[in-house]
Amino acid sequence: MKRFLIPAVGVVVLLLVAGVVTTIVHSRGVGLAVTDLDDGAVVTPSGVERVSITTADPGELHRVSVQVDGRPVEARREDGRMTLAGVDLAEGEHTLSVRAANPLPWLPDVSAERRFSVDATPPALAVESAGAESLRGPVTVRGTAEGAETVTVGDQRVRVADGRFEVSLASVPAQVRVTADDAAGNSRQQEVPVRVTHPGMRAVHMSAAAWATPSLRDPVLAMAREGRIDTVQLDIKDESGEIGYRSQVPLAREIGATRDYYDARAVLDELHAADVRVVGRLVAFRDPVLGKASWQAGARDRLAQNTSGAPWSAHYGEYAFTNFANKEVRDYNTAIAKEAAELGFDDVLYDYVRRPDGPIGQMSFPGLTGTPEQSIVDFLRDNRAVLRPLGTYLGASVFGIAANSGTDIAQDIPAISAQVDYVAPMVYPSHWGPGEYGVDDPDGKPYDIVKASVEHFVRLTEGTGATIVPWLQAFSLGHRYGPGEIQAQVVASRDVGVPSFLLWNAACTYGSAGLEPA
C-alpha cells in the first residue's frame, strides 16, 4: 500500500503544483493595459475619453476598478474594453489608478497608474497679416500663436518660436486656413482672406462698340502711348446684356447674348504688348438679355420681381434686372468672369453688383436667404475664389451714396471691401445733391466733392486690404466739364492718397481729358 500511496500523493501534489503554476501564469497574464495615455501626458477632455483599459481575457474586466485622484469612477464597459467616457475632469493635474483583482486571494492584484494633465484651452491664435505685393506672390502670413506646439498654414507646417510664426507661400489663394495645435490636441483655426496690393490704374472706359470704332479707339491708344493712361477699361458684358466678343459660355450662346465687336484675345495681346493693362467691366445683375430670355423660357425666378410676381421694372425696363439671389444668374456671371480671366483680362470689374434701387418692401427676390447685402458680399467672395487662382484681380463698382446708405441698393461698403481687391466708387460731382459733404454746389465744385467723398471711402475700407479706384466724371451734365474739371477731380483724389482713377464718358470721347503724362 505504501508503495502505491506515495506515487499517488506525488501525482496529486504535482497536479496541485501544475494548477498553481497555471493560475500564476493566468494571474500574471491578466494583461492589464492602459493605452492612449502615457505617464506625464497632457490631454484634452475628449482625449480622456479615448483612454482604453483592457485585459488579456475580456471576461476579467469585471475585476477591474478605476479611480481618478483617489476617488472611484464609473468606467464604461463595451467591446471588450473599458473607457472613461462620461468622466468630467477639470483642467489641471490628475492621477489615474487602475486595479485588477486576482481571482486567487493569496496572489497580488495587478495595477497601473498614470499621472496626466487635462488642458481644455486652445492656443491663442492671431493672424496679423496675410498678403502679397502682387498676384504673382509670394504671400507672407505672420502672427502669434501663444500656447501652440505647431501651426499649419494651408498645407504647410510652420515653426513656432516664442509664440510667433511666419511663412511664405508661393501661390496666392483667395484665403488661407491657419490652424494652431497645442501639445494636448486643442486646436484653433482661422480662415484668413489673403490681401493683394492692386497695382493701381489711370484708365478710361470703353464700350465694346466704341472699341470697334477707330475714331473712338485711336485717341485712347494715343493717350496710352503718351503715358496719359496706363489702363483701358473694356466692357465684357454691358447694361444691355450683350457680351462684346464671341463668348463660349453655353448660356450666353443659348440666349443670344454674344456679339462680335472685338476679338478678345487679339485686343488683349495688342494692349499687353503696349504695356497697357486691360480691365474687363462686367455688368452683373442689370441684364435684359438674360432677363427676357429667362422669363419667356419659364425660368422666372431668375428675375427680380415685384410683390405681385411680375418682373421688376421701374426705370430700367420690364426684364432689365435679374435676381442676384438666383444661383443660375450668379453662375452665369461667374462663368463669364472666369472666361475673361482665362482669356487674359487683368481685372474683372463688376458693375450693377447690387439690387435695384427703390423701396425694398415692393420687391421680391426668389430664393433669397438672409439680407440682400450679405448675398451680394457672398457673390463677390465666391468670384474672388474663382479669379484669384487665374491671376486676375477683382473689383466692384459701387454707388457714391452707398457710403452713407448702402442698404438702399444692397452695397455694404466695408463688407464688400473685405471680398474684393479694389472698390470703384462712382463719385461723379453731378450725382451729388447740394449740401452733400458740406459742398453747396457739388457739380460746380468738382475738387471739393471728390476730395470729401473719396476720403470717406478710404475711411470705410480701412483695414480691409481693398484699394480705392474712383470713377471720375468726364462728361457734362449741368455744368460743362472739360480738361480743367477732370483734372480737378484727379488732383482731389490724389490729395487724399488715391492716385488711381477710372474716367467715365458714355460716348467714350476723351481727347487728352487734361491728363498729364505720368
Side-chain angles (χ1 to χ4, degrees), residues 334-351:
T334 302
I336 298 170
K338 182 173 185 287
E339 178 183 64
E342 291 172 338
L343 283 167
F345 281 88
D346 298 287
D347 300 15
V348 168
L349 174 58
Y350 271 114
D351 204 348

Side-chain angles (χ1 to χ4, degrees), residues 68-98:
V68 176
D69 301 331
R71 294 185 297 274
V73 296
E74 289 294 329
R76 181 181 299 170
R77 293 178 174 86
E78 60 182 2
D79 299 328
R81 65 192 185 102
M82 299 174 69
T83 62
L84 300 183
V87 177
D88 187 16
L89 299 180
E91 285 193 286
E93 296 182 351
H94 299 278
T95 301
L96 171 69
S97 302
V98 183

Side-chain angles (χ1 to χ4, degrees), residues 220-430:
V220 169
L221 291 173
M223 292 172 70
R225 287 194 300 271
E226 294 163 3
R228 300 179 191 277
I229 61 172
D230 57 23
T231 302
V232 170
Q233 179 269 288
L234 181 60
D235 279 359
I236 297 171
K237 175 162 72 81
D238 63 15
E239 295 89 337
S240 71
E242 293 181 351
I243 300 172
Y245 59 87
R246 293 191 178 278
S247 170
Q248 299 305 306
V249 172
L251 183 55
R253 299 177 69 82
E254 176 186 326
I255 64 177
T258 66
R259 299 293 182 268
D260 194 20
Y261 289 117
Y262 63 86
D263 181 328
R265 184 80 70 182
V267 171
L268 291 164
D269 288 346
E270 176 189 7
L271 289 173
H272 286 159
D275 201 25
V276 176
R277 299 182 74 254
V278 187
V279 172
R281 175 173 169 264
L282 203 171
V283 175
F285 303 122
R286 183 177 175 179
D287 191 334
V289 172
L290 176 63
K292 185 176 182 178
S294 297
W295 192 264
Q296 293 177 342
R300 299 186 172 186
D301 283 358
R302 290 179 183 170
L303 278 88
Q305 301 174 13
N306 60 29
T307 51
S308 298
W312 180 265
S313 57
H315 53 280
Y316 296 104
E318 188 176 13
Y319 305 109
F321 237 98
T322 56
N323 178 11
F324 60 84
N326 180 271
K327 184 177 185 302
E328 292 172 329
V329 172
R330 293 160 78 103
D331 288 350
Y332 175 58
N333 283 283
T334 302
I336 298 170
K338 182 173 185 287
E339 178 183 64
E342 291 172 338
L343 283 167
F345 281 88
D346 298 287
D347 300 15
V348 168
L349 174 58
Y350 271 114
D351 204 348
Y352 285 86
V353 58
R354 59 178 179 87
R355 72 168 177 87
D357 48 298
I360 186 69
Q362 298 177 16
M363 299 178 188
S364 174
F365 304 102
L368 176 64
T369 58
T371 66
E373 292 76 29
Q374 188 58 50
S375 183
I376 294 298
V377 169
D378 292 345
F379 171 75
L380 291 168
R381 178 203 62 205
D382 294 345
N383 268 263
R384 185 158 69 171
V386 171
L387 298 178
R388 181 64 64 80
L390 299 173
T392 305
Y393 292 97
L394 175 65
S397 294
V398 298
F399 271 12
I401 61 167
N404 293 309
S405 53
T407 55
D408 288 353
I409 48 172
Q411 288 184 335
D412 181 334
I413 300 305
I416 284 175
S417 302
Q419 303 301 335
V420 297
D421 300 310
Y422 61 98
V423 173
M426 294 174 276
V427 294
Y428 312 130
S430 62

